[in-house]
Amino acid sequence: PLRLAVLISGRGSNLKAILDAIGAGRLAAQVVLVLSNRPGAAGLDLAAAAGLSAATVDHRQYPDRHAFEQALVTALDAAQAELLVLAGFMRVLTADFVHHYRGRLINIHPSLLPAFAGLDTHARALAAGATEHGASVHFVTAAVDGGPLIAQIRVPVQAGDTPHTLAARVLPAEHRLYPLVIGWYAAGRLALGGDTVRLDGLPLAAPVQF
Ligand code: GAR
């Protein structure tokens, strides 16, 4: 099975969705490393409860981004991770790091990119009067939240929504989308060539929509 590393900074609900999909036989992969940049991240407890190998690389313990990322690379390569999955990982990665793992590094972002890159996506979608919102999975490049899009899942914005209620609608959609996309990669169906995403050998003109 595909050797996955999951990088987290906090709660780890997307990590849990991935583990549930593996456990249910819906995803042919194994999590060989859970890596957190935050000591005490709740997702580390999930990893421990699942008996997974987990490590913390605390960015505050390193003099600069390069040294921090070198420690990440050392841990990831020791685990022989094939696909790196960012799941609520809240550090920006440098061009050097993303080039090293180009085509093997994906992220989930809580908006319909290119709308609402960056932080506070739910509040910003509401403030902009969006009628639809959702989540996107993309290959990671040096452009923050700007890498080639693979798939998106949409949810309606409802009257009276707050950032909290909207987040609560998007999150379960993330949990459906991410294991599915990882499964495509695990099955050898998904690749990045240049800036073009290929699914089943065909270039994607637009992200797959759910
Ligand atoms: C998720 O909503 C994810 O899309 C978002 O953080 C949350 C992590 O939740 N990621 C980003 O904002 C990336 N910039 P989780 O820890 O429960 O999976």
Side-chain angles (χ1 to χ4, degrees):
L2 178 73
R3 298 176 67 84
L4 289 181
V6 182
L7 281 73
I8 63 168
S9 298
R11 176 177 55 186
S13 73
N14 277 287
L15 167 64
K16 180 170 187 305
I18 291 163
L19 295 175
D20 287 350
I22 293 170
R26 286 184 282 114
L27 174 57
Q30 63 181 127
V31 175
V32 294
L33 182 62
V34 174
L35 202 43
S36 174
N37 70 300
R38 291 219 184 108
L44 288 170
D45 298 334
L46 278 172
L52 300 173
S53 163
T56 301
V57 177
D58 181 353
H59 59 278
R60 295 168 305 182
Q61 303 293 321
Y62 296 86
D64 53 34
R65 268 184 206 278
H66 177 75
F68 165 62
E69 291 183 351
Q70 200 52 57
L72 293 180
V73 169
T74 299
L76 291 163
D77 290 357
Q80 298 182 277
E82 295 171 295
L83 180 67
L84 277 52
V85 173
L86 305 184
F89 184 73
M90 302 307 279
R91 298 298 293 173
V92 169
L93 295 163
T94 67
D96 281 350
F97 184 93
V98 304
H99 287 153
H100 184 75
Y101 293 108
R102 190 176 173 84
R104 301 201 286 135
L105 174 57
I106 62 176
N107 181 44
I108 192 161
H109 180 81
S111 77
L112 299 172
L113 290 169
F116 312 118
L119 300 175
D120 300 321
T121 58
H122 307 305
R124 287 162 58 214
L126 290 174
T131 57
E132 249 190 342
H133 189 45
S136 305
V137 177
H138 63 93
F139 281 107
V140 176
T141 64
V144 176
D145 298 331
L149 289 166
I150 303 165
Q152 297 183 315
I153 190 162
R154 288 162 189 272
V155 304
V157 175
Q158 290 172 6
D161 264 341
T162 65
H164 182 80
T165 62
L166 187 52
R169 195 171 307 119
V170 171
L171 194 62
E174 294 187 38
H175 298 162
R176 289 202 298 279
L177 183 65
Y178 218 2
L180 201 71
V181 172
I182 295 165
W184 295 345
Y185 191 96
R189 299 177 56 193
L190 182 64
L192 180 65
D195 283 330
T196 304
V197 177
R198 288 182 175 268
L199 185 60
D200 296 328
L202 298 173
L204 278 189
V208 179
Q209 298 295 326
F210 292 96

